Amino acid sequence: NAGVTQTPKFQVLKTGQSMTLQCAQDMNHEYMSWYRQDPGMGLRLIHYSVGAGITDQGEVPNGYNVSRSTTEDFPLRLLSAAPSQTSVYFCASSKEYGELFFGEGSRLTVL
Amino acid sequence: AQTVTQSQPEMSVQEAETVTLSCTYDTSESDYYLFWYKQPPSRQMILVIRQEAYKQQNATENRFSVNFQKAAKSFSLKISDSQLGDAAMYFCAYRSMGSQGNLIFGKGTKLSVKP
């Protein structure tokens, strides 16, 4: 039972570097999303997708790109990392209705 | 836009006692979901309980139950017989019905359990 798999779990970047956080789910969920979690802020939505080829922006999309070429995968790209992007990132998926299933999170530090 | 408010940044409970975490939300919709998620130090997000707004009966999962007051837009979580393993961050979340409904989170309540 893999569920939602995120990689890497930890990453340190220098300002200006780019990277991709990978997310894959094996539950055939149409809905996938990325959140970031910062102290005292809860989880805030970055981008989401309701199916292959369809993506949209959430509350805090600046500095991030996503694509959804398959139902299973939903990578998050940081184009030019900034210290403000230091955070814990969660990928999540769900059926059309109901609760989200989360990955284990990825802790990103930008120096 | 919908909002979710958790007014208690931190709570503490004695082991075996009962504690209630508060959550209020704002929406103009009539059909939606409400959830409580638990985040232990491992940072994994674990679903504790869910409530569909059209159901008047309060959801219950073992020691966890909710008090859902739709008119008051209140959704509190009661933990009975608290255990050390209940220590965690607890997030209240709202989701609209429908495939494009995104989960909106409160800022969380940190629960400590004293032995």
Side-chain angles (χ1 to χ4, degrees):
Chain A
N1 273 356
V4 179
T5 303
Q6 281 182 241
T7 56
K9 289 186 172 46
F10 300 92
Q11 183 72 49
V12 178
L13 290 178
K14 294 181 180 179
T15 297
Q17 287 184 318
S18 63
M19 76 158 296
T20 299
L21 294 173
Q22 302 290 345
C23 177
Q25 52 92 9
D26 62 358
M27 297 174 282
N28 201 32
H29 287 165
E30 290 298 320
Y31 179 92
M32 296 186 75
S33 55
W34 279 101
Y35 288 85
R36 61 176 287 171
Q37 182 180 18
D38 302 294
M41 299 295 292
L43 280 77
R44 293 181 292 169
L45 182 66
I46 304 171
H47 285 284
Y48 66 99
S49 169
V50 298
I54 306 169
T55 63
D56 205 346
Q57 297 180 351
E59 180 185 356
V60 288
N62 292 341
Y64 307 95
N65 267 2
V66 293
S67 59
R68 184 96 179 269
S69 57
T70 67
T71 298
E72 294 78 21
D73 300 302
F74 190 46
L76 178 71
R77 298 181 185 86
L78 281 69
L79 308 174
S80 178
S84 61
Q85 293 178 304
T86 293
S87 188
V88 177
Y89 292 85
F90 286 94
C91 180
S93 73
S94 78
K95 299 178 184 178
E96 186 175 8
Y97 301 107
E99 69 268 27
L100 264 59
F101 295 82
F102 286 84
E104 293 181 348
S106 301
R107 179 176 293 278
L108 174 66
T109 301
V110 183
L111 302 175
Chain B
Q2 296 88 6
T3 59
V4 177
T5 302
Q6 294 179 248
S7 59
Q8 307 151 316
E10 295 188 20
M11 292 281 286
S12 181
V13 64
Q14 204 72 32
E15 194 175 7
E17 297 295 312
T18 296
V19 64
T20 299
L21 308 184
S22 300
C23 174
T24 58
Y25 58 95
D26 188 23
T27 184
S28 58
E29 299 173 334
S30 58
D31 289 327
Y32 46 86
Y33 295 97
L34 294 165
F35 307 96
W36 279 98
Y37 279 88
K38 171 185 178 181
Q39 187 181 42
S42 67
R43 88 175 173 227
Q44 179 70 46
M45 294 292 288
I46 302 166
L47 178 69
V48 174
I49 202 163
R50 61 180 272 176
Q51 175 82 43
E52 289 90 345
Y54 67 87
K55 292 184 177 179
Q56 293 187 344
Q57 187 173 4
N58 289 327
T60 299
E61 288 288 341
N62 300 315
R63 296 182 296 107
F64 299 87
S65 62
V66 297
N67 183 5
F68 173 50
Q69 301 289 329
K70 190 173 184 179
K73 298 179 183 175
S74 172
F75 184 61
S76 60
L77 175 70
K78 186 172 81 171
I79 306 174
S80 303
D81 186 25
S82 296
Q83 300 176 359
L84 295 177
D86 295 333
M89 283 290 290
Y90 287 82
F91 293 97
C92 179
Y94 170 102
R95 189 179 193 189
S96 299
M97 289 283 188
S99 61
Q100 297 204 26
N102 295 310
L103 210 61
I104 300 167
F105 286 89
K107 294 185 177 181
T109 296
K110 184 176 181 181
L111 178 66
S112 302
V113 181
K114 298 179 180 178

